[in-house]
Amino acid sequence: MKRFRYYRFIFYLFLAIVMYQIPLEWIESRRLCIWYHLFQVDCFGCGFTRAFFSLVNGQFEKAFFYHKLVIVVPVVLAIIGQDFWMILSRSKKQSWLEVVFTQMISRLYPNLRVKHI
């Protein structure tokens, strides 16, 4: 099932290109939260998109101001970066993302045999 690796690789590249094309000023000038637009109340995730884009653009103080949980993003980016590197290097080993995914599937569906992705 190596084709899933290539699909992830294409998805990562596509996502990086799209995120690079969206200007930070456009994100900061809008509220993208559906919950806020429906009920005029902030949800627990309000500001996370602005925080994420601020963090990606290197504005750490602004990112932390928008949402405190943005400190989780570097960990997630490291896991995705390691998976991206494993795909590029054509490693036979599983990446952290693949290990977590196979563990989740094997616990949710114990009768299903999950092989290397």
Side-chain angles (χ1 to χ4, degrees):
M1 295 279 185
K2 290 185 177 183
R3 69 172 182 246
F4 290 118
R5 280 188 161 194
Y6 296 115
Y7 292 152
R8 284 198 320 267
F9 180 75
I10 292 169
F11 176 72
Y12 293 151
L13 284 178
F14 175 75
L15 195 62
I17 290 169
V18 167
M19 285 177 35
Y20 181 73
Q21 297 297 321
I22 300 173
L24 182 60
E25 295 80 26
W26 187 83
I27 295 291
E28 288 179 338
S29 66
R30 290 166 174 73
R31 289 192 80 137
L32 302 174
C33 182
I34 295 172
W35 184 267
Y36 179 79
H37 287 293
L38 288 175
F39 303 112
Q40 301 299 317
V41 177
D42 287 342
C43 70
F44 66 90
C46 273
F48 197 81
T49 303
R50 289 176 281 173
F52 175 76
F53 275 90
S54 296
L55 184 73
V56 169
N57 285 311
Q59 299 176 356
F60 304 110
E61 281 185 32
K62 191 184 281 188
F64 196 68
F65 172 75
Y66 283 135
H67 203 285
K68 305 292 189 249
L69 282 178
V70 77
I71 59 174
V72 175
V73 170
V75 174
V76 173
L77 289 178
I79 291 171
I80 291 173
Q82 191 258 356
D83 187 43
F84 188 77
W85 178 253
M86 297 287 276
I87 294 170
L88 276 180
S89 64
R90 297 182 182 186
S91 175
K92 301 288 184 203
K93 296 180 183 179
Q94 285 186 324
S95 67
W96 297 332
L97 190 68
E98 291 170 332
V99 169
V100 169
F101 179 75
T102 54
Q103 289 294 320
M104 282 186 348
I105 294 297
S106 64
R107 289 180 191 214
L108 287 173
Y109 304 103
N111 295 333
L112 183 66
R113 294 179 191 245
V114 180
K115 295 182 182 179
H116 178 69
I117 298 176

